[in-house]
PDB file of all heavy atoms in Angstrom:
ATOM      1  N   ALA A  14      -3.701   6.171  23.410  1.00 36.00           N
ATOM      2  CA  ALA A  14      -3.875   6.118  21.970  1.00 36.00           C
ATOM      3  C   ALA A  14      -2.667   6.689  21.255  1.00 36.00           C
ATOM      4  O   ALA A  14      -2.266   6.240  20.175  1.00 36.00           O
ATOM      5  CB  ALA A  14      -5.135   6.878  21.572  1.00 36.00           C
ATOM      6  N   SER A  15      -2.044   7.701  21.843  1.00 35.00           N
ATOM      7  CA  SER A  15      -0.879   8.314  21.178  1.00 35.00           C
ATOM      8  C   SER A  15       0.300   7.367  21.111  1.00 35.00           C
ATOM      9  O   SER A  15       1.186   7.519  20.266  1.00 35.00           O
ATOM     10  CB  SER A  15      -0.472   9.585  21.918  1.00 35.00           C
ATOM     11  OG  SER A  15      -0.099   9.279  23.256  1.00 35.00           O
ATOM     12  N   ALA A  16       0.317   6.356  21.984  1.00 36.00           N
ATOM     13  CA  ALA A  16       1.452   5.440  21.997  1.00 36.00           C
ATOM     14  C   ALA A  16       1.465   4.508  20.811  1.00 36.00           C
ATOM     15  O   ALA A  16       2.456   3.832  20.567  1.00 36.00           O
ATOM     16  CB  ALA A  16       1.430   4.605  23.288  1.00 36.00           C
ATOM     17  N   VAL A  17       0.377   4.441  20.053  1.00 37.00           N
ATOM     18  CA  VAL A  17       0.334   3.503  18.943  1.00 37.00           C
ATOM     19  C   VAL A  17       0.818   4.110  17.636  1.00 37.00           C
ATOM     20  O   VAL A  17       0.863   3.433  16.621  1.00 37.00           O
ATOM     21  CB  VAL A  17      -1.095   2.953  18.742  1.00 37.00           C
ATOM     22  CG1 VAL A  17      -1.603   2.329  20.010  1.00 37.00           C
ATOM     23  CG2 VAL A  17      -2.048   4.035  18.267  1.00 37.00           C
ATOM     24  N   MET A  18       1.152   5.373  17.607  1.00 37.00           N
ATOM     25  CA  MET A  18       1.566   5.998  16.364  1.00 37.00           C
ATOM     26  C   MET A  18       2.921   5.458  15.920  1.00 37.00           C
ATOM     27  O   MET A  18       3.832   5.286  16.709  1.00 37.00           O
ATOM     28  CB  MET A  18       1.649   7.520  16.527  1.00 37.00           C
ATOM     29  CG  MET A  18       0.374   8.127  17.069  1.00 37.00           C
ATOM     30  SD  MET A  18      -1.082   7.577  16.150  1.00 37.00           S
ATOM     31  CE  MET A  18      -2.372   8.345  17.093  1.00 37.00           C
ATOM     32  N   VAL A  19       3.041   5.182  14.645  1.00 36.00           N
ATOM     33  CA  VAL A  19       4.293   4.723  14.074  1.00 36.00           C
ATOM     34  C   VAL A  19       4.627   5.587  12.876  1.00 36.00           C
ATOM     35  O   VAL A  19       3.805   6.339  12.369  1.00 36.00           O
ATOM     36  CB  VAL A  19       4.200   3.242  13.613  1.00 36.00           C
ATOM     37  CG1 VAL A  19       3.949   2.337  14.797  1.00 36.00           C
ATOM     38  CG2 VAL A  19       3.123   3.067  12.574  1.00 36.00           C
ATOM     39  N   GLN A  20       5.861   5.491  12.435  1.00 34.00           N
ATOM     40  CA  GLN A  20       6.310   6.280  11.289  1.00 34.00           C
ATOM     41  C   GLN A  20       5.534   5.876  10.041  1.00 34.00           C
ATOM     42  O   GLN A  20       5.424   4.699   9.724  1.00 34.00           O
ATOM     43  CB  GLN A  20       7.804   6.041  11.050  1.00 34.00           C
ATOM     44  CG  GLN A  20       8.377   6.838   9.894  1.00 34.00           C
ATOM     45  CD  GLN A  20       8.326   8.332  10.158  1.00 34.00           C
ATOM     46  OE1 GLN A  20       8.537   8.763  11.270  1.00 34.00           O
ATOM     47  NE2 GLN A  20       8.014   9.104   9.132  1.00 34.00           N
ATOM     48  N   ALA A  21       4.912   6.827   9.341  1.00 34.00           N
ATOM     49  CA  ALA A  21       4.165   6.537   8.115  1.00 34.00           C
ATOM     50  C   ALA A  21       5.098   5.981   7.058  1.00 34.00           C
ATOM     51  O   ALA A  21       6.240   6.393   6.942  1.00 34.00           O
ATOM     52  CB  ALA A  21       3.499   7.812   7.607  1.00 34.00           C
ATOM     53  N   ASN A  22       4.588   5.033   6.259  1.00 37.00           N
ATOM     54  CA  ASN A  22       5.446   4.469   5.229  1.00 37.00           C
ATOM     55  C   ASN A  22       5.480   5.375   4.007  1.00 37.00           C
ATOM     56  O   ASN A  22       4.779   6.378   3.913  1.00 37.00           O
ATOM     57  CB  ASN A  22       5.020   3.036   4.880  1.00 37.00           C
ATOM     58  CG  ASN A  22       3.712   2.975   4.118  1.00 37.00           C
ATOM     59  OD1 ASN A  22       3.357   3.900   3.392  1.00 37.00           O
ATOM     60  ND2 ASN A  22       2.997   1.882   4.282  1.00 37.00           N
ATOM     61  N   ALA A  23       6.299   4.984   3.051  1.00 33.00           N
ATOM     62  CA  ALA A  23       6.548   5.853   1.897  1.00 33.00           C
ATOM     63  C   ALA A  23       5.324   6.044   1.033  1.00 33.00           C
ATOM     64  O   ALA A  23       5.258   6.989   0.242  1.00 33.00           O
ATOM     65  CB  ALA A  23       7.685   5.271   1.065  1.00 33.00           C
ATOM     66  N   ALA A  24       4.317   5.138   1.171  1.00 38.00           N
ATOM     67  CA  ALA A  24       3.121   5.252   0.332  1.00 38.00           C
ATOM     68  C   ALA A  24       2.186   6.351   0.807  1.00 38.00           C
ATOM     69  O   ALA A  24       1.263   6.728   0.095  1.00 38.00           O
ATOM     70  CB  ALA A  24       2.373   3.922   0.302  1.00 38.00           C
ATOM     71  N   MET A  25       2.385   6.860   2.024  1.00 39.00           N
ATOM     72  CA  MET A  25       1.478   7.863   2.563  1.00 39.00           C
ATOM     73  C   MET A  25       1.758   9.232   1.970  1.00 39.00           C
ATOM     74  O   MET A  25       2.906   9.589   1.720  1.00 39.00           O
ATOM     75  CB  MET A  25       1.612   7.938   4.085  1.00 39.00           C
ATOM     76  CG  MET A  25       1.026   6.758   4.816  1.00 39.00           C
ATOM     77  SD  MET A  25       1.297   6.915   6.576  1.00 39.00           S
ATOM     78  CE  MET A  25       0.420   8.450   6.899  1.00 39.00           C
ATOM     79  N   PRO A  26       0.721  10.036   1.747  1.00 41.00           N
ATOM     80  CA  PRO A  26       0.927  11.392   1.275  1.00 41.00           C
ATOM     81  C   PRO A  26       1.745  12.198   2.275  1.00 41.00           C
ATOM     82  O   PRO A  26       1.570  12.082   3.483  1.00 41.00           O
ATOM     83  CB  PRO A  26      -0.513  11.948   1.166  1.00 41.00           C
ATOM     84  CG  PRO A  26      -1.384  10.748   1.130  1.00 41.00           C
ATOM     85  CD  PRO A  26      -0.688   9.702   1.906  1.00 41.00           C
ATOM     86  N   SER A  27       2.637  13.025   1.782  1.00 41.00           N
ATOM     87  CA  SER A  27       3.503  13.822   2.629  1.00 41.00           C
ATOM     88  C   SER A  27       2.668  14.758   3.505  1.00 41.00           C
ATOM     89  O   SER A  27       1.786  15.455   3.026  1.00 41.00           O
ATOM     90  CB  SER A  27       4.461  14.647   1.764  1.00 41.00           C
ATOM     91  OG  SER A  27       5.236  15.494   2.568  1.00 41.00           O
ATOM     92  N   GLY A  28       2.943  14.747   4.808  1.00 47.00           N
ATOM     93  CA  GLY A  28       2.291  15.672   5.723  1.00 47.00           C
ATOM     94  C   GLY A  28       0.917  15.236   6.184  1.00 47.00           C
ATOM     95  O   GLY A  28       0.310  15.924   7.001  1.00 47.00           O
ATOM     96  N   ALA A  29       0.390  14.103   5.683  1.00 65.00           N
ATOM     97  CA  ALA A  29      -0.954  13.680   6.058  1.00 65.00           C
ATOM     98  C   ALA A  29      -0.916  12.981   7.414  1.00 65.00           C
ATOM     99  O   ALA A  29      -0.098  12.101   7.644  1.00 65.00           O
ATOM    100  CB  ALA A  29      -1.519  12.737   5.007  1.00 65.00           C
ATOM    101  N   ALA A  30      -1.818  13.369   8.302  1.00 89.00           N
ATOM    102  CA  ALA A  30      -1.939  12.715   9.600  1.00 89.00           C
ATOM    103  C   ALA A  30      -2.966  11.598   9.473  1.00 89.00           C
ATOM    104  O   ALA A  30      -4.158  11.860   9.295  1.00 89.00           O
ATOM    105  CB  ALA A  30      -2.364  13.725  10.658  1.00 89.00           C
ATOM    106  N   ARG A  31      -2.533  10.381   9.563  1.00 95.00           N
ATOM    107  CA  ARG A  31      -3.419   9.222   9.419  1.00 95.00           C
ATOM    108  C   ARG A  31      -3.145   8.246  10.555  1.00 95.00           C
ATOM    109  O   ARG A  31      -2.570   7.186  10.367  1.00 95.00           O
ATOM    110  CB  ARG A  31      -3.229   8.571   8.053  1.00 95.00           C
ATOM    111  CG  ARG A  31      -3.606   9.491   6.891  1.00 95.00           C
ATOM    112  CD  ARG A  31      -3.247   8.905   5.530  1.00 95.00           C
ATOM    113  NE  ARG A  31      -3.983   7.693   5.225  1.00 95.00           N
ATOM    114  CZ  ARG A  31      -3.809   6.991   4.089  1.00 95.00           C
ATOM    115  NH1 ARG A  31      -2.938   7.419   3.172  1.00 95.00           N
ATOM    116  NH2 ARG A  31      -4.511   5.895   3.870  1.00 95.00           N
ATOM    117  N   PRO A  32      -3.576   8.610  11.766  1.00 97.00           N
ATOM    118  CA  PRO A  32      -3.220   7.788  12.918  1.00 97.00           C
ATOM    119  C   PRO A  32      -3.777   6.372  12.863  1.00 97.00           C
ATOM    120  O   PRO A  32      -3.162   5.443  13.387  1.00 97.00           O
ATOM    121  CB  PRO A  32      -3.807   8.573  14.103  1.00 97.00           C
ATOM    122  CG  PRO A  32      -4.871   9.443  13.499  1.00 97.00           C
ATOM    123  CD  PRO A  32      -4.369   9.790  12.142  1.00 97.00           C
ATOM    124  N   HIS A  33      -4.949   6.195  12.251  1.00 98.00           N
ATOM    125  CA  HIS A  33      -5.512   4.845  12.209  1.00 98.00           C
ATOM    126  C   HIS A  33      -4.810   3.982  11.177  1.00 98.00           C
ATOM    127  O   HIS A  33      -4.687   2.760  11.354  1.00 98.00           O
ATOM    128  CB  HIS A  33      -7.029   4.913  11.993  1.00 98.00           C
ATOM    129  CG  HIS A  33      -7.725   5.574  13.148  1.00 98.00           C
ATOM    130  ND1 HIS A  33      -8.346   6.795  13.040  1.00 98.00           N
ATOM    131  CD2 HIS A  33      -7.835   5.208  14.457  1.00 98.00           C
ATOM    132  CE1 HIS A  33      -8.830   7.135  14.229  1.00 98.00           C
ATOM    133  NE2 HIS A  33      -8.527   6.196  15.095  1.00 98.00           N
ATOM    134  N   LEU A  34      -4.336   4.577  10.105  1.00 98.00           N
ATOM    135  CA  LEU A  34      -3.465   3.833   9.198  1.00 98.00           C
ATOM    136  C   LEU A  34      -2.164   3.476   9.905  1.00 98.00           C
ATOM    137  O   LEU A  34      -1.668   2.345   9.789  1.00 98.00           O
ATOM    138  CB  LEU A  34      -3.163   4.641   7.937  1.00 98.00           C
ATOM    139  CG  LEU A  34      -2.139   3.994   6.994  1.00 98.00           C
ATOM    140  CD1 LEU A  34      -2.653   2.666   6.455  1.00 98.00           C
ATOM    141  CD2 LEU A  34      -1.781   4.929   5.850  1.00 98.00           C
ATOM    142  N   ASP A  35      -1.594   4.423  10.645  1.00 98.00           N
ATOM    143  CA  ASP A  35      -0.372   4.140  11.381  1.00 98.00           C
ATOM    144  C   ASP A  35      -0.550   2.934  12.302  1.00 98.00           C
ATOM    145  O   ASP A  35       0.322   2.064  12.396  1.00 98.00           O
ATOM    146  CB  ASP A  35       0.025   5.355  12.220  1.00 98.00           C
ATOM    147  CG  ASP A  35       0.477   6.539  11.385  1.00 98.00           C
ATOM    148  OD1 ASP A  35       0.726   6.364  10.179  1.00 98.00           O
ATOM    149  OD2 ASP A  35       0.573   7.648  11.952  1.00 98.00           O
ATOM    150  N   ALA A  36      -1.690   2.886  12.988  1.00 98.00           N
ATOM    151  CA  ALA A  36      -1.947   1.770  13.897  1.00 98.00           C
ATOM    152  C   ALA A  36      -2.084   0.460  13.124  1.00 98.00           C
ATOM    153  O   ALA A  36      -1.592  -0.582  13.557  1.00 98.00           O
ATOM    154  CB  ALA A  36      -3.191   2.049  14.723  1.00 98.00           C
ATOM    155  N   ALA A  37      -2.765   0.495  11.970  1.00 98.00           N
ATOM    156  CA  ALA A  37      -2.896  -0.700  11.146  1.00 98.00           C
ATOM    157  C   ALA A  37      -1.531  -1.179  10.662  1.00 98.00           C
ATOM    158  O   ALA A  37      -1.265  -2.389  10.597  1.00 98.00           O
ATOM    159  CB  ALA A  37      -3.824  -0.429   9.962  1.00 98.00           C
ATOM    160  N   LEU A  38      -0.660  -0.242  10.331  1.00 98.00           N
ATOM    161  CA  LEU A  38       0.687  -0.616   9.896  1.00 98.00           C
ATOM    162  C   LEU A  38       1.487  -1.241  11.030  1.00 98.00           C
ATOM    163  O   LEU A  38       2.286  -2.163  10.805  1.00 98.00           O
ATOM    164  CB  LEU A  38       1.416   0.612   9.345  1.00 98.00           C
ATOM    165  CG  LEU A  38       0.844   1.202   8.054  1.00 98.00           C
ATOM    166  CD1 LEU A  38       1.578   2.489   7.693  1.00 98.00           C
ATOM    167  CD2 LEU A  38       0.929   0.195   6.917  1.00 98.00           C
ATOM    168  N   ALA A  39       1.277  -0.746  12.253  1.00 98.00           N
ATOM    169  CA  ALA A  39       1.951  -1.355  13.397  1.00 98.00           C
ATOM    170  C   ALA A  39       1.453  -2.778  13.619  1.00 98.00           C
ATOM    171  O   ALA A  39       2.228  -3.681  13.966  1.00 98.00           O
ATOM    172  CB  ALA A  39       1.730  -0.504  14.645  1.00 98.00           C
TER     173      ALA A  39
END
């Protein structure tokens, strides 16, 4: 599961951990 993390885009709040959004963005 950790392999799916991607860099959060600029729309994300600073410092927020949103792994499922990261996966959706990937």
Side-chain angles (χ1 to χ4, degrees):
S15 62
V17 304
M18 306 310 176
V19 297
Q20 181 65 38
N22 71 29
M25 288 177 60
S27 176
R31 297 173 64 181
H33 296 113
L34 174 63
D35 292 347
L38 294 175

